[in-house]
Amino acid sequence: MTPPIIPTPYEVFYFIIPTISLIGNSLIVYVTIRSKRLRSACNIFIALISVGDVLHMFAHYIMAISHDVTSDHLLQHDTCVYWQLLPLFGVFFSAMMLLNVAVDRLLSLTSIYIFLVNQHKLLYIGVQTGIATGFALFMVIWTFVERKTDQRVVCAITAPMEGHVYDAFSVSIMTINILIIVCYVLFLLLLKKRRINNDTMKNIYRSLIIISLTTIFGWFSTMLIVAAGQIMRIEFNRIYVNLLAGLFVNFACATTFFVYYGVSSEYRKVFDQYLHLKGLKTAIGIKMESSTAYNGPSVAPTTAKSKQPVTLGE
């Protein structure tokens, strides 16, 4: 049997971290469905990002299983494409939704946002989600069309993408990440000029920025490694570059639940309530915040159902 292509430490990482991510992001989706507090457009977008991340995580189980059960640790390229289409959809969908959330937060500082989410909430959510879905569908269909029958690959998440498809993937992901940075820089600059008297909003902003920057760092690391190799004229096997870069991207996906729980008091209350964490926290002596007496606004309290709108005036 051929020696393993994927080193054992990577195999361990790509089992443990995706499992944590799968559980954490599934819990975010679950509490968003259950809790009436998480009904704002921003909350729904966050849950949709988690849906994409859940789909993405299945790619690593496919990679590990196909690597271990085949004698040469490789799959025919077209077979790999079939298996990885849904995870690839998740990658592109969540990446675009992350940008849409950044745009949403930027819009939340404008007067038109209140009109959009109060009068046309479903249309607004539908348009934002439709953009991400359309982008993801375009990329996976292109990947499917370009599948090959005369090539065998290690079936990692990026393996189905070859040639122009991989180039488009790299450019689109980097462009999305740059736009996210631009959106949050503008957001922070505008935020300094405004007065927000709602700690819940501040916490969710911090959570989103932390998660976005961690993910962006993961994607940028790939390009930096490749660029350094080209400058030093070092030939990299793409599978190892992607495995290395994936450490950061997948770590970011795995920390999403913990970031929202640790930084956002609103999400923490919802997690405590619907995941029955009160007993656990009481047992280990952690002081509980009262969630039953909470009557404040939702995370993005600009909808018609908000009881206390955020003050965004000068």
Side-chain angles (χ1 to χ4, degrees):
M1 190 172 182
T2 306
I5 297 174
I6 301 176
T8 300
Y10 279 117
E11 285 204 86
V12 173
F13 176 90
Y14 279 102
F15 175 78
I16 295 176
I17 297 301
T19 301
I20 295 172
S21 180
L22 193 65
I23 295 171
N25 283 288
S26 296
L27 292 176
I28 291 173
V29 175
Y30 171 73
V31 298
T32 303
I33 293 171
R34 289 290 308 277
S35 176
K36 293 182 180 180
R37 297 176 187 170
L38 304 181
R39 288 292 184 268
S40 71
C42 183
N43 298 140
I44 293 171
F45 293 154
I46 289 170
L48 289 173
I49 292 171
S50 290
V51 170
D53 287 342
V54 166
L55 295 178
H56 175 187
M57 291 305 108
F58 284 111
H60 306 308
Y61 299 117
I62 294 170
M63 177 185 71
I65 293 171
S66 63
H67 176 269
D68 291 341
V69 301
T70 55
S71 59
D72 60 354
H73 311 295
L74 304 174
L75 277 185
Q76 191 165 294
H77 184 264
D78 59 342
T79 303
C80 180
V81 169
Y82 303 145
W83 280 104
Q84 294 285 19
L85 278 181
L86 197 57
L88 273 176
F89 178 89
V91 170
F92 290 114
F93 179 79
S94 60
M96 184 58 75
M97 285 305 303
L98 202 62
L99 174 59
N100 288 349
V101 168
V103 172
D104 176 78
R105 293 300 82 201
L106 193 58
L107 287 174
S108 71
L109 299 180
T110 67
S111 57
I112 193 175
Y113 185 76
I114 297 176
F115 170 76
L116 285 174
V117 296
N118 282 352
Q119 303 299 323
H120 302 285
K121 180 180 177 181
L122 291 179
L123 178 62
Y124 174 71
I125 293 173
V127 169
Q128 293 274 47
T129 306
I131 292 171
T133 302
F135 170 67
L137 283 175
F138 173 78
M139 291 303 298
V140 297
I141 290 172
W142 190 8
T143 302
F144 179 81
V145 170
E146 295 292 329
R147 68 194 186 281
K148 300 176 181 179
T149 58
D150 58 349
Q151 182 177 336
R152 293 179 67 80
V153 296
V154 176
C155 196
I157 182 66
T158 55
M161 296 178 287
E162 294 283 344
H164 294 307
V165 181
Y166 186 79
D167 292 339
F169 159 73
S170 301
V171 171
S172 62
I173 291 296
M174 295 308 295
T175 301
I176 287 171
N177 288 332
I178 291 170
L179 290 175
I180 291 172
I181 293 173
V182 170
C183 285
Y184 279 122
V185 168
L186 291 174
F187 173 79
L188 292 173
L189 290 175
L190 291 173
L191 200 60
K192 287 183 178 180
K193 299 180 180 180
R194 297 176 180 270
R195 177 171 52 87
I196 295 182
N197 58 359
N198 187 291
D199 290 336
T200 300
M201 292 290 289
K202 294 177 182 178
N203 289 337
I204 196 66
Y205 292 157
R206 294 190 192 102
S207 303
L208 288 170
I209 291 173
I210 291 170
I211 290 167
S212 298
L213 290 180
T214 307
T215 305
I216 288 169
F217 173 75
W219 288 118
F220 271 123
S221 66
T222 309
M223 302 307 161
L224 290 175
I225 293 169
V226 173
Q230 290 175 343
I231 292 172
M232 295 183 291
R233 297 183 179 181
I234 299 174
E235 290 294 329
F236 284 104
N237 188 324
R238 200 182 85 182
I239 180 63
Y240 296 116
V241 175
N242 291 332
L243 286 173
L244 178 60
L247 298 179
F248 304 104
V249 175
N250 289 283
F251 181 78
C253 293
T255 58
T256 302
F257 173 86
F258 302 101
V259 170
Y260 283 123
Y261 191 90
V263 178
S264 172
S265 59
E266 173 68 359
Y267 269 96
R268 184 161 56 251
K269 291 170 184 175
V270 173
F271 287 141
D272 285 341
Q273 179 180 355
Y274 289 99
L275 302 181
H276 307 291
L277 299 179
K278 294 180 182 179
L280 177 62
K281 292 173 73 173
T282 302
I284 60 178
I286 298 177
K287 185 178 180 181
M288 286 290 301
E289 294 179 84
S290 175
S291 59
T292 56
Y294 179 77
N295 291 312
S298 62
V299 170
T302 52
T303 64
K305 294 183 179 180
S306 297
K307 297 181 181 179
Q308 181 183 342
V310 176
T311 301
L312 294 176
E314 295 293 327

